Amino acid sequence: MGAEHPDTLTTRQRLGDWTGQVGDSSAARDHYATLLPIRERVLGPHHPDTLSTRHQIARWTGEAGDFATARDQCAALLPLRKAVLGEHHPDTLATRASIAYWTGRAGDAAAARDQYAALLPALQRVRGPDHPETLAARGNLAYSAGKAGDAVTARDQYAALLPAITRIQGAEHPDTLTIRHNLARWTGEAGDAATARDQLAELLPIRERLLGTRHPDTQSTQASLLHWTARAG
């Protein structure tokens, strides 16, 4: 087919994704950076596949630890996706979500909170209230609120999210368990250490059974349980 056939380029795109998925974020970033000028030449700078490659460069740049650059790359991509795909296209909304995410990781929790709050109604309308991207945005909104200093709002938002994610993902899905862990954290940060302790005590045996005692998530729950037990006196 040749080095620049669309199917060849699609395979290169997938190679970059799986390289990142197995843990080599820097190699994935560099792989996509090499692919981008080829896609720009073959397909044009505004083709959806070219824009997808730019999105992946930003993603793996952030995963490699450069949060501010990932944020800026997504911010530069957003007007192109709006112009090519429309303001409410799922890929456009995904870029908005990425801007909010990397903004928070770069240290501006208040801006991330505001960006998620502005994005959420569009996701609910386009994707639906039960779509994984909508649920992820709700969780990230709650986390950003907490990191911005509003523990009570974070606790309440996680408490509202938990029944929905339990119904859709299941009681023992990793995302559900993460929401339970975060609900306990912000319950404690909001001043109720005893309830946080009890929530973590209920969560810990589930994580131990599903993940094992040495999994990072299990150990995080163990450490949090110790912390809030001590805070509860």
Side-chain angles (χ1 to χ4, degrees), residues 55-56 59 74 77-78 81 85-102 116 119 122-123 126-127 131 133:
H55 184 92
Q56 292 299 327
R59 173 188 178 184
C74 288
L77 174 60
L78 181 59
R81 277 196 150 165
L85 302 172
E87 186 173 356
H88 300 299
H89 190 278
D91 288 349
T92 305
L93 300 182
T95 298
R96 289 180 61 186
S98 294
I99 293 171
Y101 179 76
W102 296 119
Y116 278 120
L119 171 62
L123 279 173
V126 174
R127 289 300 214 179
H131 191 276
E133 291 182 13

Side-chain angles (χ1 to χ4, degrees), residues 4 154 188:
E4 296 186 351

Side-chain angles (χ1 to χ4, degrees), residues 61-144:
T61 295
E63 295 292 349
D66 191 346
F67 308 139
T69 297
R71 174 201 63 204
D72 295 345
Q73 289 171 334
C74 288
L77 174 60
L78 181 59
L80 296 176
R81 277 196 150 165
K82 285 182 178 179
V84 173
L85 302 172
E87 186 173 356
H88 300 299
H89 190 278
D91 288 349
T92 305
L93 300 182
T95 298
R96 289 180 61 186
S98 294
I99 293 171
Y101 179 76
W102 296 119
T103 295
R105 293 297 301 274
D108 194 343
R113 174 201 62 204
D114 296 343
Q115 290 165 346
Y116 278 120
L119 171 62
L120 187 57
L123 279 173
Q124 290 172 325
R125 182 172 63 254
V126 174
R127 289 300 214 179
D130 294 340
H131 191 276
E133 291 182 13
T134 305
L135 299 178
R138 289 180 63 184
N140 287 328
L141 172 60
Y143 183 80
S144 298

Side-chain angles (χ1 to χ4, degrees), residues 140-204:
N140 287 328
L141 172 60
Y143 183 80
S144 298
K147 292 293 285 184
D150 192 347
V152 172
T153 294
R155 177 201 64 199
D156 294 346
Q157 288 175 338
Y158 276 121
L161 174 59
L162 182 58
I165 203 163
T166 302
R167 172 173 53 83
I168 295 160
Q169 303 276 39
E172 295 188 346
H173 189 278
D175 291 348
T176 305
L177 301 185
T178 296
I179 297 302
R180 290 183 62 179
H181 180 96
N182 287 333
L183 172 59
R185 172 187 177 178
W186 295 110
T187 296
E189 296 289 352
D192 191 348
T195 297
R197 173 202 63 203
D198 296 344
Q199 290 168 334
L200 292 163
E202 292 177 1
L203 175 60
L204 180 58

